[in-house]
Amino acid sequence: MGIVAGLDSSPDFTRIVVCDTDTGAVLRQGYAPHPVESPDGGRPSDVDPQAWLLSLGEAAGGGLLEGVQAIGVSAQQNAVVPLDTQGNTVRPAMVGGDKRTQVAAADLVDALGGREAWAHAVGAVPQVAQPVTKLRWLARTEPENAARTAVLLQAHDWLVWQLLGRPVRRTTDRGGASGTGYWSAATGGYRPDLVELALGHQVMLPEVIGPADAAGTTPEGLLISAGTGETMAAAFGLGLGLGDAVVSLGASGSVMAVHPEALVDGSGMITALADATGMHLPVVTTLNAVRTLRGAAELLGLPDLESLSDLAMKSTPGAHGLVLLPYLEGERTPHLPHTAGTLSGLRRESMRPEHLARAAFEGMLCGLADALDVLRGRGVDVRRIFLLGPAAELPAVQAAAPALFGTQVVVPQPADYAAIGAARQAAWALGVQQGVLDPRTPPAWQGAAAQVLEPGEELAVGQAVRQQFVSVREQTHPGAFRV
């Protein structure tokens, strides 16, 4: 068939991979940081979308896209780009987890009648990062900009629209749409009433096209696929299928799994996202993952997580009875927004640095196992877990995770999975256009190279450690966690 490209416009950079359409082998790649600076040195909440285009152009330099027949676009989720009637940006894009919108999120929850009402409406309770929450903040804080807003796009929608020469038709995909807070994965439709509830008036929303559909063709004849959000693109690039889950270890953590239907969760613990293939990606988030490890390292006077891992390996499963409930920033799963962490099981023999280090790793992983149980409790099949993030490489994580999760754990080699997923989507759209691929079946690319870890003989020990954690959690926060 030829070659295709996938570009991933993350919060900080653009990564482009050029892949063989038949195998998915990466032939060439490009990279460029976004020309964005924040006054305080952190990640900005407002970004001029032109920065994404400048970064894209730089990453694609040197003839990188020569011979490419189709392009797929993955981009950071939760960025909302408000446009006026002429297609110009009303204000910079609002990106990331914007703490300015905390009050707006609470306002929206109350305005619709509570968490359960939102869960049934769109499969998610408003959070600070979601576009619907940012619209509420815009209406309250910048009413003139809100009034001028006529069209809403996300980052990947805007980039696809720009690549196509800003046509009248604007498109998105179900994966990206499912994260907005005003599109339901269960019904496959928008809730314009929720846009009006947040922004104060109706706007134009992009057409949601199918996973194998093309958004259009550039004047030069380059096919542009539907595009999707980074999470969905990475899942597609990893080759996830039914029975697979991903545990992502960032400062906070998340567990998502492939499921054939959208899950409506009245408690609001599950966010019902759609994927890039026509399936669903229910997600459960914890607020405390790697930040738990960093806190423990600082408390023990250790310079890095590698040192914490080495120390933890000197302890044994169960950390001599020491249990850490890692709710250091409050917690979303279980819903304990105002609580703090708890260290239990202090005895003379357990008060050693290596046991605290071990308890930090076990507490983090048990918190994620709780999130996994939320999905399993709703009938989600999990037979294999992909462990992502730099912390997945730590020996203490790899030693404990399979037995605590109770299943096979796969640690993929680091790669640009979101960009690869975008390229795979481009190959799918190209194949359908050429009549060589089925719109219901994506191209079968080679899977991610990975290390496979089995629970083996440690399973019983791991489940005993997990039960020890559950007992302390129930004693400390009775009834807070219901699967």
Side-chain angles (χ1 to χ4, degrees):
M1 284 167 60
I3 58 174
V4 292
L7 72 88
D8 175 38
S9 182
S10 83
D12 301 313
F13 57 80
T14 298
R15 184 90 64 181
I16 301 177
V17 297
V18 175
C19 299
D20 178 273
T21 52
D22 294 322
T23 66
V26 176
L27 307 174
R28 305 191 289 267
Q29 46 194 322
Y31 166 87
H34 292 327
V36 172
E37 292 183 7
S38 178
D40 61 3
R43 186 174 283 169
S45 298
D46 294 326
V47 174
D48 183 349
Q50 292 296 327
W52 306 334
L53 279 184
L54 290 170
S55 172
L56 193 165
E58 186 180 341
L64 183 75
L65 300 180
E66 188 175 337
V68 165
Q69 297 165 279
I71 292 181
V73 177
S74 154
Q76 59 181 305
Q77 286 157 241
N78 300 317
V80 60
V81 186
L83 305 179
D84 62 19
T85 54
Q86 305 302 311
N88 300 314
T89 51
V90 170
R91 71 180 309 285
M94 300 176 68
V95 301
D98 194 336
K99 291 185 178 179
R100 296 176 299 183
T101 63
Q102 286 176 329
V103 173
D107 283 350
L108 281 176
V109 172
D110 292 341
L112 196 65
R115 294 166 59 85
E116 190 167 352
W118 277 97
H120 283 282
V122 289
V125 178
Q127 304 290 337
V128 293
Q130 281 185 306
V132 70
T133 305
K134 291 166 181 171
L135 298 183
R136 180 72 158 202
W137 179 88
L138 192 64
R140 294 288 185 267
T141 312
E142 301 177 4
E144 291 183 3
N145 285 335
R148 288 176 54 215
T149 299
V151 182
L152 292 175
L153 297 179
Q154 293 185 84
H156 83 267
D157 309 337
W158 188 85
L159 285 165
V160 165
W161 184 58
Q162 294 291 330
L163 289 172
L164 291 172
R166 296 163 59 104
V168 173
R169 181 191 189 216
R170 300 175 180 93
T171 62
T172 189
D173 87 305
R174 53 195 295 281
S178 66
T180 59
Y182 44 82
W183 186 89
S184 168
T187 65
Y190 280 116
R191 289 288 303 265
D193 58 313
L194 299 182
V195 175
E196 187 167 2
L197 179 69
L199 190 63
H201 61 91
Q202 297 284 339
V203 294
M204 291 279 292
L205 298 168
E207 176 189 346
V208 181
I209 62 177
D213 292 344
T217 304
T218 69
E220 299 78 24
L222 195 62
L223 191 76
I224 308 294
S225 64
T228 194
E230 269 189 321
T231 296
M232 300 80 191
F236 198 37
L238 281 165
L240 299 188
L242 289 173
D244 290 335
V246 170
V247 172
S248 183
L249 301 177
S252 56
S254 67
V255 178
M256 69 177 181
V258 180
H259 198 56
E261 60 190 28
L263 296 178
V264 175
D265 172 47
S267 73
M269 283 195 288
I270 298 174
T271 297
L273 298 180
D275 79 346
T277 73
M279 301 285 275
H280 294 268
L281 283 175
V283 179
V284 180
T285 302
T286 69
L287 287 182
N288 301 279
V290 175
R291 64 165 44 99
T292 304
L293 304 183
R294 296 203 184 282
E298 289 170 10
L299 183 64
L300 292 167
L302 299 172
D304 50 41
L305 298 187
E306 288 74 16
S307 302
L308 185 72
S309 174
D310 292 343
L311 185 61
M313 294 297 285
K314 295 176 181 177
S315 180
T316 53
H320 276 246
L322 214 53
V323 175
L324 176 65
L325 300 184
Y327 307 150
L328 308 183
E329 301 282 333
E331 189 48 79
R332 279 184 62 180
T333 307
H335 184 61
L336 297 166
H338 306 300
T339 194
T342 302
L343 187 61
S344 175
L346 285 170
R347 296 180 181 276
R348 180 65 190 88
E349 62 270 19
S350 66
M351 295 178 70
R352 296 183 60 83
E354 61 267 29
H355 302 325
L356 177 57
R358 179 86 188 197
F361 282 96
E362 291 178 346
M364 175 188 75
L365 292 169
C366 284
L368 289 159
D370 279 352
L372 189 62
D373 279 353
V374 173
L375 296 178
R376 283 173 164 156
R378 292 297 307 278
V380 177
D381 182 27
V382 178
R383 297 188 300 274
R384 182 172 64 161
I385 290 173
F386 285 75
L387 202 55
L388 301 185
E393 303 287 338
L394 295 173
V397 169
Q398 296 190 5
L404 291 176
F405 293 148
T407 192
Q408 183 185 84
V409 170
V410 177
V411 184
Q413 288 184 4
D416 304 313
Y417 291 111
I420 291 168
R424 190 179 178 204
Q425 188 191 62
W428 195 5
L430 180 65
V432 168
Q433 187 192 64
Q434 293 176 338
V436 297
L437 287 179
D438 188 317
R440 294 163 298 181
T441 308
W445 281 11
Q446 58 200 19
Q451 182 179 4
V452 179
L453 309 168
E454 300 284 356
E457 296 177 357
E458 296 296 315
L459 180 59
V461 174
Q463 293 306 292
V465 173
R466 179 80 207 293
Q467 189 54 51
Q468 180 176 264
F469 177 91
V470 170
S471 297
V472 172
R473 188 196 66 222
E474 281 298 307
Q475 290 166 10
T476 311
H477 303 286
F481 188 84
R482 289 285 179 265
V483 177

